[in-house]
Structures are given as C-alpha cells and as structure tokens.
Amino acid sequence: MKVKNVDRKILKLLQEDSRRPFRKIATDLKISEPTLYNRVKKLQEELVIEGFTTIINPDAVGFPYLAFIMLTVEPAKEEEIINKLMNLPEIMELHILFGEKNILLKIRSQDIDSIRNFINNGLRSMEGILKTETYLSMKTEKETHMIPI
C-alpha cells in the first residue's frame, strides 16, 4: 500500500495521541469522519497501523533496569534460537544484526539479579549461543515510538 499524504497526516496525529477523538482529527484535517474511519481501517488492514497500545512508565511499575544484550550465535542454530527467544517475556525487542554479534536483545527488569538469572539460566543454557555481552543502561535520555512522518 502506498501511504498517501492524508494518511501520513492521520498517522502523525494518531502517534501524538491515539486517543484523540476522530471528530477532532477529521476537523483538523478537513475531512469527514467516515472518510477518516475508512482511511484508518485501511491502514490497519494493510498493517501500516499495527495496533493501539498504552505506553507504561517502566519505573512506575517496578522495572527500572534496562539492558541490551548482544548475542553471538552459531549460524546453523540462529533460526532455532530466534524461535526460542521470541517466547521469552523478558525480551522487549529482538533485532537480527550483521557482524560477529548476530542478535541484539532489549530487556527490562526489576533488579540486577533478574538480569543475571536471565542470562545465566536462560540464554547461556541455549545450545548455539556462543557468547553474550550485556550493556546496562545508566539512564535513558530518549525513547520514542514515534516515526518521523
């Protein structure tokens, strides 16, 4: 699907506040509410909009620790390892990389011991993971889900 200019404007406004009333968005964009509804529905069907969610402050719910874990895995085991990792609730993001380190994980945790246990009892127990390298974030200066449309 080619994203039209009006769709980009809709997406920008929804990114800023996904709870913004359709009536207000339609008025701001000078389109009818049914047109807006149909455009958003189409964007959802085409998976341009993958969902609507609530962004939670991790510190407020007891997950102040943020770690990035780089994995070096055997190439022959990469797909199998990725499938196992996809099922682990601790992992917020999983990225496949070029280079010696093939996988980057982002996890949030309640404490340092939980991160250590995740690495020692979870990751290092998986056959095919050759090396882990963990980076603990001291402070997050910027974190956003906004695409610069």
Side-chain angles (χ1 to χ4, degrees), residues 55-124:
I55 299 169
I56 299 169
N57 178 338
D59 294 337
V61 294
F63 285 80
Y65 294 93
L66 171 63
F68 297 93
I69 305 170
M70 308 283 287
L71 304 178
T72 303
V73 303
E74 290 178 33
K77 299 270 187 181
E78 186 176 87
E79 192 172 326
E80 178 185 334
I81 289 168
I82 290 168
N83 288 334
K84 288 179 183 176
L85 293 172
M86 295 291 284
N87 294 315
L88 299 178
E90 297 90 346
I91 298 174
M92 297 180 66
E93 294 180 19
L94 186 156
H95 302 272
I96 310 304
L97 307 175
F98 289 114
E100 179 187 345
K101 295 166 185 71
N102 339 43
I103 298 174
L104 170 65
L105 306 176
K106 175 183 173 181
I107 68 168
R108 282 254 179 215
S109 179
Q110 295 174 318
D111 52 49
I112 299 294
D113 283 339
S114 296
I115 294 171
R116 184 176 40 95
N117 288 334
F118 174 74
I119 293 166
N120 291 337
N121 301 327
L123 298 179
R124 290 192 177 148

